[in-house]
Amino acid sequence: MNPLLIAYGSLALAIACEVTGSALLQKSEQFTKLIPTLGMAISFFAALFFLSQALKIIPLGLAYAIWAGLGIVLTALVGVFIFRQSIDAWALVGIALIVSGVVVMNTLSSSVRH
């Protein structure tokens, strides 16, 4: 299988685990609930493991930008749809700027090699 595909698959798993860990952090209620706290710890450990696997192929700057950018967007969506939290217009502008930065980095920057 294509190593780049495996690396981006690992990065996708890292993002999913990080978002899951963040949601469980909310559910842990400041570490007072055992099961969500354990799930959170496992999710964050898995996120770092999969990120480390992605870094075998994907440059650190690119991988971290994608991981952080998509993590922020997906975590915000979890907050809205799962926890019924609201996002104002300025938060949406900020999220759009983050996504724009990741897109610019991936498409226009010569410092990122694929």
Side-chain angles (χ1 to χ4, degrees):
M1 187 175 274
N2 183 346
L4 191 59
L5 183 62
I6 293 170
Y8 276 101
S10 294
L11 185 57
L13 287 171
I15 293 165
C17 289
E18 190 262 336
V19 171
T20 300
S22 295
L24 289 171
L25 181 60
Q26 173 83 25
K27 287 295 214 181
S28 76
E29 297 180 16
Q30 294 76 42
F31 307 122
T32 60
K33 306 261 186 207
L34 180 62
I35 299 302
T37 299
L38 290 175
M40 177 218 51
I42 291 167
S43 294
F44 282 139
F45 177 82
L48 293 174
F49 171 79
F50 287 121
L51 179 61
S52 73
Q53 297 306 302
L55 292 177
K56 291 178 180 177
I57 302 292
I58 304 170
L60 175 63
L62 174 61
Y64 193 78
I66 294 169
W67 184 55
L70 289 177
I72 288 168
V73 170
L74 294 174
T75 301
L77 291 173
V78 166
V80 169
F81 291 109
I82 304 296
F83 297 115
R84 304 288 183 220
Q85 299 168 344
S86 62
I87 293 181
D88 65 13
W90 287 113
L92 292 173
V93 168
I95 290 170
L97 288 170
I98 292 167
V99 171
S100 299
V102 171
V103 169
V104 165
M105 191 172 183
N106 275 297
T107 59
L108 302 175
S109 175
S110 61
S111 65
V112 175
R113 60 178 168 76
H114 293 281

